[in-house]
Amino acid sequence: MKIYYVSRDYSPITGLRYCKKTSHSGEDFYHKKLNGWFAEAFQNKEELTIVLDGGEDGYGPSFLDESFGNLIYDFSRDVVERLLHIDSTEDPEWGESVYEETFPVWEESRKAGVEPEKTEEHEPWYKLVGDKLELKVWVHKSE
Amino acid sequence: MFRDWIIADYLQASQLVVGVLEIIVTAFMAVWVVRSVQRKLENDRILKDYLARELIALRADVRTFLENLINGSLKGKVIKREHHLLSIRMKDLLSVLNKRYNVDKQCLKSYRMNLMKIVEEDDVFQQKFESEDFVTPLKETTLKLHDLRVKNDHVFNDILLKIYGEKI
């Protein structure tokens, strides 16, 4: 099992939902770290734990929703729930809100084909197509 | 004195001694039980009063935070941090209250999670999130925050009643 700490492996301070509004946003975290971490775990058939504890001023709901929601959009709820563990001992409600609110809502969006908004151009990222990972820019920055 | 005693006298005397000892031990036990219960009640009371004071202080700080938020007296940069500190206090206090008095751990969820969901949707807050500028929230946001306060302020009183064993 791979374990990553958001505060240590990404940033001790996190922002809001989109890159265009704040630094260290949920969108930024997803594209710079979480997508790659999860793709690696998927390829290696191992579980992935994301530890939320240790951040300097906690996490905004929009940061969590955007980062973990994008994961659902690109990999599906079924696959994500099978491989991902969110460790948030410091505040269990962070993890609970992701499992109980973000996952179902983003799964609905994924099924409905509603693309997530991108506020910056990102490097190619992984998406599960069938049972294979494909790497490309799936969505461009919205106008 | 005991020279003329027969066995029956000795038996009677020993029964008397045992009886007296029984009374002494029973009296001692009664005093010990009463003191222990009293001490426990006093400790319970001290703990209840302490937790109640903590809860009242927390309620005052939550009210002040909300008031400052609505009035636009908080800088963009500090809102998330201040809320996080309040949230930790709520979580820690609820954790103790849950173990001790079975208070629902989720009962302040509106203040811990929903409050920041409302704030983070606000365009002004988003623009000033990383700045030293004061954030005057949009009218729509203030209405939602008022609504949240009106619907949840009673929760602190409900917890107080639960601590002191009153039915809500």
Side-chain angles (χ1 to χ4, degrees):
Chain A
M1 178 193 281
K2 270 277 168 65
I3 302 175
Y4 291 102
Y5 288 74
V6 177
S7 60
R8 184 192 68 194
D9 301 313
Y10 174 61
S11 167
I13 295 174
T14 50
L16 300 176
R17 186 179 295 277
Y18 293 123
C19 296
K20 74 173 174 188
K21 294 283 171 74
T22 62
S23 55
H24 299 111
S25 63
E27 181 189 352
D28 184 68
F29 170 59
Y30 179 70
H31 285 280
K32 287 196 176 143
K33 299 289 181 183
L34 188 57
N35 179 270
W37 291 342
F38 192 83
E40 188 189 13
F42 180 83
Q43 276 169 332
N44 297 337
K45 296 183 173 59
E46 63 183 359
E47 294 183 348
L48 171 70
T49 296
I50 302 295
V51 183
L52 298 176
D53 297 342
E56 279 186 23
D57 57 1
Y59 298 90
S62 62
F63 172 90
L64 295 172
D65 186 65
E66 191 64 21
S67 48
F68 290 97
N70 266 292
L71 204 57
I72 295 293
Y73 188 82
D74 287 334
F75 293 89
S76 85
R77 184 179 181 181
D78 182 41
V79 172
V80 172
E81 285 190 334
R82 194 151 35 87
L83 297 179
L84 180 77
H85 300 280
I86 299 172
D87 187 346
S88 61
T89 317
E90 195 176 305
D91 193 337
E93 280 177 19
W94 290 331
E96 285 165 19
S97 77
V98 171
Y99 286 115
E100 290 165 15
E101 293 168 38
T102 298
F103 282 8
V105 170
W106 279 75
E107 177 68 3
E108 283 302 308
S109 298
R110 190 185 72 82
K111 284 179 179 165
V114 182
E115 285 184 346
E117 190 180 343
K118 303 294 174 189
T119 65
E120 256 183 19
E121 283 297 336
H122 297 286
E123 296 290 311
W125 69 94
Y126 291 101
K127 186 180 171 87
L128 190 62
V129 181
D131 57 355
K132 293 256 172 8
L133 286 181
E134 286 185 23
L135 183 68
K136 70 176 191 181
V137 175
W138 298 92
V139 183
H140 289 281
K141 179 184 171 184
S142 51
E143 294 302 314
Chain B
M1 179 185 171
F2 306 110
R3 202 178 301 152
D4 302 328
W5 280 24
I6 57 173
I7 291 171
D9 293 332
Y10 282 111
L11 281 174
Q12 205 174 4
S14 62
Q15 273 175 353
L16 190 69
V17 170
V18 168
V20 170
L21 282 174
E22 201 180 310
I23 290 167
I24 292 169
V25 169
T26 307
F28 176 78
M29 287 292 286
V31 170
W32 180 75
V33 167
V34 167
R35 282 195 175 173
S36 298
V37 169
Q38 204 173 14
R39 206 177 305 126
K40 191 182 175 321
L41 287 175
E42 277 169 15
N43 287 344
D44 281 351
R45 183 76 198 184
I46 288 168
L47 183 66
K48 277 180 186 178
D49 291 348
Y50 169 75
L51 291 170
R53 277 198 304 275
E54 285 289 299
L55 187 69
I56 291 166
L58 180 64
R59 179 177 64 182
D61 291 344
V62 169
R63 282 175 176 170
T64 305
F65 176 74
L66 263 170
E67 209 52 53
N68 289 339
L69 203 55
I70 290 167
N71 294 337
S73 348
L74 291 176
K75 291 177 178 176
K77 215 172 180 178
V78 305
I79 291 174
K80 183 168 163 243
R81 184 177 298 270
E82 282 204 11
H83 178 266
H84 178 56
L85 294 175
L86 272 178
S87 188
I88 288 173
R89 280 174 61 197
M90 287 186 230
K91 189 208 77 172
D92 290 345
L93 188 57
L94 282 176
S95 176
V96 176
L97 292 172
N98 173 263
K99 278 183 201 151
R100 191 83 196 183
Y101 306 107
N102 208 24
V103 171
D104 180 10
K105 274 184 180 178
Q106 304 273 321
C107 66
L108 290 174
K109 191 174 180 178
S110 288
Y111 287 121
R112 300 191 61 223
M113 297 298 286
N114 301 351
L115 192 156
M116 282 311 283
K117 278 183 194 163
I118 294 170
V119 174
E120 288 186 9
E121 279 172 10
D122 188 292
D123 278 339
V124 181
F125 172 73
Q126 290 176 18
Q127 299 294 344
K128 298 186 172 177
F129 176 72
E130 291 170 310
S131 81
E132 294 283 352
D133 295 343
F134 289 97
V135 176
T136 305
L138 298 169
K139 185 78 187 159
E140 192 191 341
T141 308
T142 52
L143 287 175
K144 284 181 184 171
L145 290 174
H146 276 300
D147 189 51
L148 181 129
R149 181 167 59 183
V150 167
K151 284 182 177 154
N152 292 281
D153 200 53
H154 69 93
V155 176
F156 292 99
N157 284 336
D158 293 346
I159 298 172
L160 274 176
L161 290 174
K162 189 135 193 180
I163 293 174
Y164 287 103
E166 301 289 332
K167 289 218 168 81
I168 300 166

